[in-house]
Amino acid sequence: MTTPATRVAGTVPVAEAAVPDDFEGQYVRTLVDRWDELIDWDRRKASEQNFFVELLNGAEARRVLDVAAGTGYHSVALAQQGFEVTATDGSAEMIEQTRRNAERRGQSFRVLQADWRSLREHIDGRYDAIVCLGSSFPHLFQEADRRAVLSEFYEALNPGGILIVDHRNFDAIRRHRYQSTGNYYYCGTGATVTVAHVAEQLCRFQYDFPDGSTHHLEVYPILSDELSSLLIDAGFDTIQNFGDFQESFDIDEVDFVIHVARKP
């Protein structure tokens, strides 16, 4: 992946088209250093309860691949629950933070940098489950990449394995009905996250910190039905959708949508 110049407030024209290969460049050190502050591990754990653990246990999964490890929250949490975890991320800065966070919490598991589009070149064998969390999948701007990556995920799963992939509620965002509650995923109180721009092909989030610094992240605003269709096309035969960890939800009222897809 290429690494463009750091994007800060006021430097990115709204009309500028997003580039599919700029993922790693968006996660600059100054933002990565604050990512755990955005998450707030304790509050995030309280909001999730055991949602993902219960899904994995229900699928009888033991070997889990976290393909969007970020700073390691889910990798560490799952390792603490006894799962055999491999953590990957496309950002070298994020992966380094995952290593540090795992060490601080007394956990040891394989950690590596990997581009999803060549995922199987980096991993060892197949897994019982793949988790792709934190609205990471929308970093893929091209439909061809989205299809190719889901195929990579599918092939990296054992038969009967599950893929858990989530995204912000872009259905509501694209209808200008979305406002993050701060109760899920990004639970920290030291930053404000707003939608700076949204169109069919681009959503730009703005992160404002108390010291006056600002960061932008650009993603493709995928719709819930759109991702469900892509999962079916990739070969998954069972798709369950959850809104903020609830199976019954109003699409206009939730922060995040979670898809659970099973490989036959």
Side-chain angles (χ1 to χ4, degrees), residues 6-24:
T6 302
R7 296 185 170 188
V8 296
T11 65
V12 187
V14 167
E16 180 183 328
V19 181
D21 285 335
D22 70 354
F23 163 78
E24 189 177 1

Side-chain angles (χ1 to χ4, degrees), residues 98-174:
T98 291
R99 289 194 178 96
R100 287 195 290 266
N101 281 335
E103 183 177 356
R104 289 187 189 116
R105 289 164 174 81
Q107 299 300 314
S108 177
F109 46 80
R110 189 180 182 206
V111 180
L112 56 98
Q113 184 180 6
D115 187 314
W116 291 337
R117 290 163 290 195
S118 57
L119 180 65
R120 284 174 294 157
E121 297 176 10
H122 302 278
I123 61 175
D124 178 21
R126 289 180 171 177
Y127 292 79
D128 302 320
I130 294 174
V131 296
C132 181
L133 302 174
S135 199
S136 300
F137 189 77
H139 283 291
L140 298 168
F141 283 95
Q142 303 299 322
E143 182 175 342
D145 281 342
R146 293 191 286 275
R147 292 184 180 278
V149 166
L150 289 178
S151 178
E152 286 284 316
F153 292 169
Y154 184 92
E155 293 301 327
L157 282 170
N158 287 318
I162 62 169
L163 168 66
I164 307 173
V165 56
D166 69 9
H167 55 82
R168 285 186 184 271
N169 183 1
F170 292 110
D171 291 70
I173 289 173
R174 284 170 59 167

Side-chain angles (χ1 to χ4, degrees), residues 110-251:
R110 189 180 182 206
V111 180
L112 56 98
Q113 184 180 6
D115 187 314
W116 291 337
R117 290 163 290 195
S118 57
L119 180 65
R120 284 174 294 157
E121 297 176 10
H122 302 278
I123 61 175
D124 178 21
R126 289 180 171 177
Y127 292 79
D128 302 320
I130 294 174
V131 296
C132 181
L133 302 174
S135 199
S136 300
F137 189 77
H139 283 291
L140 298 168
F141 283 95
Q142 303 299 322
E143 182 175 342
D145 281 342
R146 293 191 286 275
R147 292 184 180 278
V149 166
L150 289 178
S151 178
E152 286 284 316
F153 292 169
Y154 184 92
E155 293 301 327
L157 282 170
N158 287 318
I162 62 169
L163 168 66
I164 307 173
V165 56
D166 69 9
H167 55 82
R168 285 186 184 271
N169 183 1
F170 292 110
D171 291 70
I173 289 173
R174 284 170 59 167
R175 291 195 295 269
H176 302 282
R177 296 178 180 178
Y178 176 85
Q179 184 174 353
S180 175
T181 65
N183 294 327
Y184 307 100
Y185 285 74
Y186 303 106
C187 301
T189 57
T192 301
V193 184
T194 56
V195 178
H197 172 72
V198 63
E200 283 190 12
Q201 299 298 318
L202 171 67
C203 182
R204 180 177 298 125
F205 290 103
Q206 182 167 313
Y207 297 77
D208 292 301
F209 292 91
D211 64 0
S213 63
T214 297
H215 292 269
H216 290 103
L217 288 181
E218 295 178 350
V219 295
Y220 169 71
I222 194 165
L223 300 177
S224 180
D225 286 348
E226 181 182 2
L227 180 51
S228 291
S229 294
L230 288 173
L231 289 166
I232 292 170
D233 289 348
F236 294 96
D237 69 350
T238 303
I239 315 294
Q240 285 181 284
N241 293 336
F242 298 84
D244 293 343
F245 315 124
Q246 303 297 318
E247 193 164 12
S248 178
F249 64 95
D250 183 335
I251 192 61

Side-chain angles (χ1 to χ4, degrees), residues 31-50 52 66 68-81 85 87 89 93-109 111 182-190 245:
L31 181 57
V32 171
D33 284 345
R34 290 182 155 182
W35 204 251
D36 289 329
E37 176 185 342
L38 282 169
I39 291 173
D40 190 325
W41 285 36
D42 291 336
R43 292 188 67 205
R44 185 165 186 167
K45 182 178 180 180
S47 74
E48 290 183 2
Q49 298 295 318
N50 289 317
F52 295 110
D66 183 354
T71 58
Y73 170 76
H74 283 109
S75 293
V76 170
L78 294 176
Q80 288 172 332
Q81 292 293 324
V85 175
D89 199 279
E93 300 281 8
M94 285 290 200
I95 281 298
E96 183 56 36
Q97 190 65 28
T98 291
R99 289 194 178 96
R100 287 195 290 266
N101 281 335
E103 183 177 356
R104 289 187 189 116
R105 289 164 174 81
Q107 299 300 314
S108 177
F109 46 80
V111 180
N183 294 327
Y184 307 100
Y185 285 74
Y186 303 106
C187 301
T189 57
F245 315 124

